[in-house]
Amino acid sequence: MPEESPYANVVLIGFMGSGKTQTGRSLSERLGLRFTDTDALIETRAGKAIRRIFEEDGEEAFRVLERSVILEAAGETGQVIATGGGVPANPDNMVTLKRSGCVVWLQASPESVWERVREGQERPLLAVEDPQGRIRELLRIREPFYAQAHLAVDTSGKSVPEVAGEIIELLRAYHS
Ligand code: S3P
């Protein structure tokens, strides 16, 4: 039985490897909301994987697609929306998302991000010589954007159900 939800949308933002997709799925089941993953939507609209979009069309083209998918997702209600890590770096995206629902930042330390992404090959921005340095640099640049969220949860050392449970508590307090 899903827990009752009065929220238009719940939007998860945060760095790569902060658990937005997994937490978003769990949260959507518990709140009885649909689940939308903007990276998956981009791949559907483009007809190819994000890594290939970066390789063949470049990051700028990816960001244009990303913006249009954010507008599309924010135009609907009743969802948990998991976003790509770079989405908040475009201030227009943050304005759109904050109007569409409650925006929650999943905070993660550079160490926990590295633990979660080191095995994967699918993140073009980390396909560099020093991925750990890149994580620290991008986190530093992006934190001021992430910090504009309505709510923040520290995910370090926590399981997906724990993080989802904390978000539900925070949402209750925020809306009461
Ligand atoms: C990106 C994060 C990725 C994906 C793309 C760019 C970023 O999403 O959108 O590779 O700029 O941080 P995740 O945060 O889901 O890995």
Side-chain angles (χ1 to χ4, degrees):
M1 189 63 180
E3 296 170 49
E4 200 185 324
S5 172
Y7 318 118
N9 290 311
V10 178
V11 182
L12 303 184
I13 65 165
F15 203 72
M16 294 174 259
S18 58
K20 296 167 299 225
T21 299
Q22 281 180 294
T23 307
R25 269 189 210 292
S26 162
L27 201 55
S28 68
E29 281 164 23
R30 289 170 68 169
L31 294 173
L33 299 173
R34 284 178 294 115
F35 177 62
T36 301
D37 185 307
T38 61
D39 279 342
L41 209 49
I42 289 169
E43 294 190 329
T44 304
R45 295 287 173 268
K48 55 186 171 186
I50 286 174
R51 200 170 53 156
R52 270 191 56 208
I53 304 174
F54 270 75
E55 278 167 14
E56 294 172 9
D57 312 311
E59 180 172 355
E60 214 172 297
F62 172 79
R63 297 299 172 198
V64 171
L65 256 175
E66 184 172 64
R67 171 71 185 146
S68 72
V69 161
I70 291 296
L71 285 169
E72 184 182 338
E76 295 184 25
T77 57
Q79 327 156 81
V80 174
I81 304 174
T83 60
V87 163
N90 175 348
D92 291 342
N93 286 338
M94 277 304 267
V95 170
T96 302
L97 292 171
K98 286 179 79 174
R99 281 197 193 125
S100 88
C102 189
V103 177
V104 185
W105 172 21
L106 300 194
Q107 295 173 309
S109 64
E111 295 73 25
S112 67
V113 167
W114 176 239
E115 275 314 307
R116 290 174 189 157
V117 303
R118 59 188 301 171
E119 302 296 345
Q121 303 289 316
E122 72 279 7
R123 291 183 171 93
L125 291 180
L126 300 181
V128 293
E129 217 170 280
D130 176 18
Q132 288 177 274
R134 183 94 170 109
I135 288 169
R136 278 193 299 274
E137 182 198 6
L138 277 176
L139 263 174
R140 189 175 38 76
I141 294 168
R142 290 179 175 174
E143 264 174 6
F145 297 104
Y146 296 147
Q148 291 164 23
H150 297 110
L151 301 169
V153 180
D154 185 0
T155 66
S156 310
K158 291 177 194 157
S159 68
V160 167
E162 272 174 330
V163 174
E166 271 190 40
I167 294 172
I168 289 170
E169 289 308 310
L170 283 173
L171 287 170
R172 282 212 182 102
Y174 184 74
H175 287 274
S176 65

